[in-house]
Amino acid sequence: MNIDFERKTVIVTGAAHGFGRAIAQAFAARGAAVHICDVNEQGLAETVSLCGEKVHSHVLDVGNRSAVQLTVAAIATSCGSIDVLVNNAGGVRGQVGRPIEEISEEDWQTIFDVNLSGAFFMAQAVAPVMKKQKSGRIINISSGAGLGISLTGIQAYASAKAGQIGLTRQLAHELGAWNITVNNVAPGFVRSNPTTERQWDAMGADGQAKLLQTIALKRLGVPDDIAAMVMFFASDFAGWISGQVISVDGGK
């Protein structure tokens, strides 16, 4: 299967590390002009240095609708098209699992802002461009937490990721008439960033072994496994696939 993205413009959010960085590298290696977004300016610079000259960075909080509109408009103007959007920005914003009665409104909202509102705002901004060109790919990165429960125990994270899966299905039907597909990748547990490293360490040897036993392949994946699924969804091979959620988790 030969997948390439020559002359394609791609936006990847949450690209300062982990899945987003791996996804940006995969697109760049296949010829795309890649625009990466994150609030972490230093991490963005590191991603650019790994990807090369076809990657351009934008410091952006995807939960800020006005900033999203401005950034996407600038990319569309400079490139003339936006072919692929990967909504990867997310995470737990430094939170840990706590009882429901201890969760503040701010704790709840900040996780929704990046994981769900951000995906909506980015899709909302690229939709007019993709409609005009009558083609596009939107790929949301959710989590196994959106299909089951979160290993973190964070209520807002599981809820926001489940909401993102619902958004995927809804937008697939709304945008399909313009040849825009909307799909979702639900990763299992992958050691991909400082947060997941802390989670892994907190499990201890027994917890780590127990987790591995729940995986059919008996091993953890790597960020490139998630990027590979994104490459497929973004390619011509997935032209008649939309509204789908694929778990990339080693088998459950």
Side-chain angles (χ1 to χ4, degrees):
M1 183 181 292
N2 181 25
I3 294 176
D4 75 81
F5 298 98
E6 291 286 345
R7 297 180 296 281
K8 300 290 187 181
T9 301
V10 177
I11 300 176
V12 182
T13 68
H17 54 59
F19 297 156
R21 177 174 289 174
I23 292 165
Q25 287 179 287
F27 276 118
R30 289 163 177 81
V34 187
H35 291 259
I36 58 174
C37 307
D38 206 295
V39 294
N40 181 346
E41 187 172 4
Q42 181 179 345
L44 284 175
E46 292 170 0
T47 300
V48 170
S49 70
L50 291 168
C51 292
E53 62 183 13
K54 296 194 76 173
V55 175
H56 311 275
S57 66
H58 307 265
V59 178
L60 176 65
D61 177 358
V62 297
N64 183 330
R65 183 180 182 276
S66 297
V68 166
Q69 290 283 330
L70 289 171
T71 299
V72 170
I75 294 170
T77 299
S78 65
C79 298
S81 68
I82 297 173
D83 301 290
V84 181
L85 166 64
V86 182
N87 282 314
N88 172 70
V92 299
R93 291 290 179 95
Q95 297 185 40
V96 297
R98 289 171 291 152
I100 187 171
E101 59 267 27
E102 296 180 14
I103 309 303
S104 70
E105 180 180 355
E106 182 181 4
D107 292 335
W108 175 266
Q109 193 60 52
T110 191
I111 288 179
F112 265 75
D113 286 346
V114 66
N115 288 281
L116 182 54
S117 296
F120 176 80
F121 293 153
M122 290 297 300
Q124 185 180 49
V126 303
V129 181
M130 291 183 174
K131 283 182 175 182
K132 184 176 180 179
Q133 64 199 26
K134 292 185 171 57
S135 67
R137 299 279 194 268
I138 297 174
I139 302 154
N140 296 322
I141 310 298
S142 61
S143 169
L147 294 168
I149 61 171
S150 174
L151 294 177
T152 68
I154 297 173
Q155 305 88 345
Y157 183 72
S159 301
K161 289 303 190 184
Q164 194 196 75
I165 290 170
L167 178 66
T168 297
R169 294 178 176 134
Q170 192 67 37
L171 291 183
H173 282 268
E174 178 177 344
L175 301 176
W178 288 272
N179 193 34
I180 301 167
T181 67
V182 188
N183 288 295
N184 196 294
V185 181
F189 183 83
V190 177
R191 296 169 62 186
S192 60
N193 57 53
T195 297
T196 53
E197 285 300 315
R198 288 192 294 271
Q199 291 171 354
W200 179 252
D201 292 341
M203 291 178 194
D206 290 344
Q208 293 167 5
K210 184 177 179 181
L211 174 62
L212 292 174
Q213 286 306 306
T214 68
I215 300 172
L217 292 174
K218 308 303 179 191
R219 62 177 175 83
L220 297 181
V222 296
D224 284 345
D225 292 315
I226 310 308
M229 191 67 239
V230 173
M231 294 304 104
F232 172 70
F233 272 149
S235 76
D236 291 342
F237 292 98
W240 205 49
I241 300 173
S242 198
Q244 301 305 303
V245 183
I246 300 294
S247 295
V248 182
D249 58 10
K252 291 290 188 179

